[in-house]
Amino acid sequence: MKYIDEFRDGALAKGLARSIAAAADTGRTYRLMEFCGGHTHAIYRYGVQDLMPANVRFVHGPGCPVCVLPMARIDQAIAMAVEHGVTLCTYGDLMRVPASERNSLLKAKAGGADIRMIYSTQDALAIARKAPERQVVLFAIGFETTTPPTAVAIKSARAERLENFSVFCNHVLTPPALATILTAAGEGVVQLDGILGPSHVSTVIGSRPYEFVPAAFGKPVVIAGFEPLDVMQSALMLIRQINAGQASVENQYTRAVTRDGNPKAQALMAEVFSPRETFEWRGLGFLPASALRIAGAYAELDAEQRFPVAPSTGREIKGCECPSVLRGVMEPTDCKLFGSVCTPENPMGACMVSSEGACAAYWSYGRFR
Ligand code: SF4
């Protein structure tokens, strides 16, 4: 299959592995953070880490939108469904993420709340159209990749005068999270030598928003695709920059990403959303200007205003190390609950539930100590 098979070619992988081993034969260590959970899964699904020399280490980043959503926001969504009796539409990954008091969206649904799993924002609109007597809330989460479809849904609802549809907005922005990780390096966050930058996010925002990383932190960034050869080539590009003492943003994922991204999607986002002053990320805390709210011009479609609920102070399940895993200071297997108490069938934290979570990647591809 074009754009798939050619990026999974074993002979090319062996050649890249030899090039990486030669480039990294310098006596130093290379700590490369793969920002996205999609990269983490590619690394373990295809055994990319095993093709690296011992001094090249991938550090897992916070690039999993389900994982970084704090428990308090799931509590709020459940409260909207239970206290206001709305139909809450959400993506499958979120259903089993633990909320406070051992609750989850799935358990709330089993308890009678009208919570439905959807595949796209269009599904939520269709539910609203079919049931005008119900208030339908889209539980919208994700990085910049999934923000434009939410904006389209909001604009469609406005255009159709769909008065029973609103959005609980939890869209977050990747550059502030990267800035936090690099700012805090050494203070509970691992020291990094280079970044494998977000790829799908960059199809929307472009590679330009990451140029602050070399400018302010002196670290190279390579926007990396999600196939195994993409990851390996990107690692080689980073190692070559590090060896040369350079730091710039390079784009390995040229088949999808440009420096300026998708201006139409960006304009849509700017019209429908505005930045929040601050927003909580699991593992990283409250980060300024790191998330979006529905802009004032579309305020009547904001579920937080239409269905107010008390803020929650949800805290992680005791022993779950998701916050440390998301900061890159712990590996999933460092968590005492990994594979014993915590498994995909009985997850204790979001990182074991999400299809992009690091703990799920270690479990799925047999990375045990
Ligand atoms: Fe949390 Fe489970 Fe991962 Fe441990 S293994 S950090 S409990 S999700």
Side-chain angles (χ1 to χ4, degrees):
M1 197 188 303
K2 188 158 174 61
Y3 295 132
I4 300 288
D5 293 341
E6 59 204 284
F7 292 93
R8 297 178 182 176
D9 184 284
L12 289 176
K14 281 182 192 159
L16 270 171
R18 282 193 293 274
S19 299
I20 290 169
D25 187 16
T26 57
R28 61 162 292 166
T29 300
Y30 299 84
R31 287 152 302 197
L32 313 178
M33 174 173 271
E34 84 274 6
F35 187 89
C36 293
H39 292 137
T40 310
H41 278 254
I43 287 166
Y44 290 110
R45 180 175 179 189
Y46 296 102
V48 173
Q49 181 68 75
D50 299 332
L51 292 170
M52 297 291 121
N55 59 331
V56 176
R57 201 186 128 212
F58 290 110
V59 179
H60 319 314
C64 160
V66 171
C67 304
V68 297
L69 187 72
M71 194 178 265
R73 298 295 284 186
I74 301 172
D75 291 343
Q76 279 180 265
I78 292 171
M80 272 183 206
V82 173
E83 293 171 21
H84 292 281
V86 306
T87 297
L88 187 76
C89 298
T90 186
Y91 302 110
D93 270 10
L94 265 181
M95 294 290 277
R96 294 188 311 121
V97 174
S100 293
E101 313 291 341
R102 303 256 162 185
N103 204 358
S104 69
L105 290 163
L106 197 61
K107 286 179 184 168
K109 180 180 172 67
D114 187 3
I115 298 174
R116 305 194 196 176
M117 196 181 88
I118 54 166
Y119 292 99
S120 80
T121 56
Q122 295 304 309
D123 292 346
L125 283 171
I127 290 168
R129 288 184 198 112
K130 268 191 206 152
E133 75 287 359
R134 300 278 313 160
Q135 282 291 330
V136 176
V137 173
L138 168 64
F139 187 0
I141 74 156
F143 296 137
E144 295 90 333
T145 326
T146 52
T147 309
T150 303
V152 170
I154 288 172
K155 286 191 63 133
S156 300
R158 160 73 66 82
E160 293 175 39
R161 300 179 194 277
L162 211 51
E163 290 178 0
N164 63 327
F165 179 84
S166 58
V167 172
F168 179 40
C169 182
N170 294 273
H171 286 295
V172 290
L173 304 169
T174 50
L178 195 47
T180 299
I181 285 172
L182 291 164
T183 303
E187 299 166 20
V189 177
V190 76
Q191 200 71 39
L192 299 171
D193 300 303
I195 312 287
L196 292 161
S199 45
H200 289 165
V201 165
S202 302
T203 63
V204 175
I205 65 171
S207 62
R208 191 193 293 270
Y210 300 102
E211 290 175 3
F212 74 92
V213 175
F217 298 98
K219 308 285 182 195
V221 176
V222 173
I223 306 298
F226 280 131
E227 294 300 326
L229 295 192
D230 290 321
V231 174
M232 293 180 74
Q233 187 183 22
S234 302
L236 180 59
M237 291 162 78
L238 281 174
I239 290 165
R240 285 180 173 156
Q241 279 205 52
I242 295 163
N243 287 352
Q246 292 173 352
S248 65
V249 175
E250 287 186 283
N251 180 13
Q252 181 275 336
Y253 198 34
T254 52
R255 62 192 186 277
V257 171
T258 62
R259 186 171 181 228
D260 290 320
N262 181 334
K264 199 169 172 187
Q266 291 166 25
L268 198 55
M269 287 160 63
E271 177 190 337
V272 175
F273 301 104
S274 58
R276 291 179 190 267
E277 255 176 49
T278 184
F279 193 78
E280 186 183 6
W281 290 55
R282 177 179 278 133
L284 301 179
F286 284 88
L287 309 186
S290 67
L292 298 172
R293 67 166 71 252
I294 295 172
Y298 290 88
E300 85 276 10
L301 288 147
D302 187 345
E304 283 183 82
Q305 295 194 29
R306 198 182 289 187
F307 306 110
V309 292
S312 160
T313 53
R315 292 284 165 259
E316 301 303 325
I317 287 174
K318 200 167 172 230
C320 172
E321 302 289 0
C322 276
S324 298
V325 171
L326 290 164
R327 288 197 307 275
V329 288
M330 272 189 158
E331 293 190 359
T333 43
D334 294 329
C335 173
K336 290 194 176 78
L337 307 186
F338 178 85
S340 54
V341 177
C342 182
T343 62
E345 290 72 38
N346 184 38
M348 294 291 120
C351 301
M352 186 59 96
V353 180
S354 170
S355 58
E356 294 184 10
C359 301
Y362 273 52
W363 177 270
S364 301
Y365 306 116
R367 303 297 296 198
F368 302 103
R369 284 208 196 285

